[in-house]
């Protein structure tokens, strides 16, 4: 065998083969899945599919992380229990999101299944190996953490700037980006809300009764009409965004887990040292969630369908 052939054999012997279940999965093209599948090293085990039922607890607050993976389908909620026994929902994990934690990391929240879900789960040893030796995988983790941080800030801003009715409408707009969507010939859209009404209320920091009242008012205006228990027709999505106090310039972007192509992100600047310190992250416009529009200089919100609470 020639030296070139031996070198080629040695370079491919430790390649982590893509599992059979990844062949028809739309997420295989995302940066994290691609980086993991291309990682080299005998210490990297292929992911296993973990199936969850609605309301199943995956990790509890204060526990050490025992896996890291990618949410393949369904939705997970991050929540914390308050001293009074009520929960605070901190956010929602969507298909394609990084879930779990780094080896040795303790959870600051509980992670539960908001719907039936599937996770492509990697064991801690494989994650530690990839983080230590694979720069592409390390970079993908940093990008994902930054994206989730930006979404968390967006949720905080919504809760601080919008009233209850606006937050309910803002959730409908966000659902058009992260949940099944059907575009209609007349320009309207039909969105399927996969979550329970209680989860919707907790994510919007409101009550189930407020959601019912707001949906009734929107239906009277023929802006949002419920056509089945989980499906809603939105006649004018941009109008709904303006009424919710959100930036109407950002329309429903591509959803990679549905096979829709996203625009490439602008280059990520990373230091040359081994610590892989992030200097600047500039997501493409299509990858950003719609941001809350601030009030004007007098503190007024944009015109609403009803009086502020």
């Amino acid at each position: 065998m020639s030296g070139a052939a031996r070198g080629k054999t040695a370079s491919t012997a430790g390649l982590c083969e893509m599992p059979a279940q990844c062949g028809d999965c739309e997420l295989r093209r995302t940066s994290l899945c691609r980086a993991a599948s291309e990682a080299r090293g005998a210490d990297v085990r292929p992911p296993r599919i973990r199936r969850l039922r609605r309301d199943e607890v995956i990790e509890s607050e204060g526990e050490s992380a025992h896996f890291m993976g990618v949410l393949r389908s369904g939705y997970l909620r991050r929540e914390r229990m308050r001293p009074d026994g009520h929960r605070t929902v901190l956010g929602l994990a969507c298909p394609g999101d990084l879930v779990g934690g780094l080896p040795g990391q303790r959870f600051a929240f509980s992670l539960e299944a908001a719907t039936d879900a599937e996770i492509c789960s990697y064991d801690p040893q494989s994650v530690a190996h990839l983080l230590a030796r694979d720069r592409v995988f390390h970079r993908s983790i940093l990008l994902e953490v930054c994206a989730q941080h930006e979404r968390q800030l967006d949720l905080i801003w919504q809760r601080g700037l919008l009233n209850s009715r606006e937050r309910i409408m803002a959730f409908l707009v966000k659902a058009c980006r992260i949940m099944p969507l059907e575009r209609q010939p007349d320009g309207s859209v039909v969105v399927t809300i996969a979550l329970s009404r209680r989860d919707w209320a907790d994510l919007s920091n409101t009550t189930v009764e407020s959601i019912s009242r707001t949906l009734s008012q929107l239906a009277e205006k023929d802006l949002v009409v419920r056509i089945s228990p989980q499906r809603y027709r939105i006649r004018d999505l941009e109008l709904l965004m303006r009424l919710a106090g959100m930036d109407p310039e950002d329309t429903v972007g591509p959803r990679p887990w549905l096979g829709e192509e996203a625009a490439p992100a602008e280059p990520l600047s990373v230091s040359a040292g081994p610590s892989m310190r992030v200097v600047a992250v500039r997501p493409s416009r299509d990858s950003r969630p719609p941001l809350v529009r601030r009030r004007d200089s007098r503190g007024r919100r944009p015109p609403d369908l009803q009086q502020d609470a």
Side-chain angles (χ1 to χ4, degrees):
M1 182 182 295
S2 66
R6 284 195 301 270
K8 183 177 181 180
T9 302
S11 65
T12 58
L15 184 63
C16 180
E17 296 292 337
M18 180 179 290
Q21 67 266 18
C22 298
D24 59 349
C25 179
E26 294 292 346
L27 295 178
R28 70 186 186 277
R29 294 181 292 177
T30 61
S31 59
L32 186 61
C33 290
R34 188 168 59 249
S37 65
E38 295 174 354
R40 301 178 184 274
D43 295 332
V44 179
R45 301 175 184 173
R48 64 180 182 89
I49 300 297
R50 182 177 179 183
R51 293 178 173 85
L52 307 163
R53 304 295 297 175
R54 181 189 291 267
D55 294 326
E56 183 176 342
V57 178
I58 307 164
E59 300 283 3
S60 298
E61 183 179 346
E63 289 184 351
S64 296
H66 66 274
F67 83 98
M68 175 181 283
V70 178
L71 183 58
R72 193 168 188 255
S73 65
Y75 301 87
L76 310 180
R77 59 177 178 263
R78 304 179 182 95
E79 62 180 57
R80 297 186 69 175
M81 295 301 296
R82 302 199 302 264
D84 60 5
H86 294 85
R87 70 174 184 173
T88 298
V89 177
L90 304 175
L92 196 67
C94 307
D97 281 358
L98 179 71
V99 295
L102 298 173
Q105 178 185 3
R106 288 192 176 275
F107 279 87
F109 50 80
S110 295
L111 187 64
E112 300 184 7
T115 65
D116 291 348
E118 290 186 350
I119 298 175
C120 290
S121 176
Y122 290 87
D123 64 89
Q125 292 77 16
S126 295
V127 172
H129 177 83
L130 289 170
L131 287 173
R133 302 191 180 186
D134 193 283
R135 292 175 62 88
V136 175
F137 183 82
H138 201 157
R139 178 181 184 274
S140 299
I141 295 293
L142 293 176
L143 281 170
E144 175 66 19
V145 170
C146 290
Q148 291 190 18
H149 178 68
E150 183 176 344
R151 282 161 49 186
Q152 191 68 54
L153 289 177
D154 185 54
L155 181 62
I156 293 172
W157 292 331
Q158 287 188 24
R159 289 178 173 178
L161 291 176
L162 305 182
N163 63 33
S164 176
R165 297 182 180 91
E166 291 168 336
R167 291 194 299 272
I168 293 168
M169 291 187 286
F171 178 86
L172 280 169
V173 173
K174 182 178 179 180
C176 292
R177 291 188 59 92
I178 65 176
M179 295 182 182
L181 188 73
E182 305 167 34
R183 294 174 173 84
Q184 306 300 308
D186 61 358
S188 64
V189 296
V190 175
V191 61
T192 300
I193 306 296
L195 305 181
S196 68
R197 188 64 67 86
R198 182 192 174 204
D199 283 344
W200 181 353
D202 287 346
L203 281 164
S204 304
N205 197 26
T206 185
T207 63
V208 172
E209 293 76 14
S210 295
I211 291 177
S212 297
R213 286 194 298 269
T214 300
L215 290 177
S216 297
Q217 293 165 350
L218 293 172
E220 291 175 359
K221 303 291 185 179
D222 193 34
L223 182 56
V224 178
V225 178
R226 184 181 181 184
I227 57 180
S228 71
Q230 291 185 315
R231 300 173 73 237
Y232 299 84
R233 181 182 68 84
I234 302 175
R235 175 174 54 83
D236 189 333
L237 184 57
E238 289 197 4
L239 174 59
L240 187 65
M241 293 177 72
R242 289 195 295 269
L243 294 174
M246 303 175 75
D247 190 347
E249 71 176 8
D250 194 359
T251 58
V252 177
R255 286 92 54 86
W257 63 93
L258 297 181
E260 301 174 359
E261 295 289 344
E266 297 179 23
L268 171 70
S269 176
V270 181
S271 68
S275 62
M276 296 287 289
R277 180 173 59 87
V278 175
V279 177
V281 178
R282 302 178 182 222
S284 66
R285 177 181 165 188
D286 287 338
S287 69
R288 294 198 302 265
L291 298 178
V292 175
R293 187 174 59 194
R294 299 180 183 275
R295 296 178 175 84
D296 61 21
S297 59
R298 297 183 180 180
R300 297 177 299 189
R301 291 189 178 96
D304 201 344
L305 290 175
Q306 59 278 321
Q307 296 293 325
D308 290 349

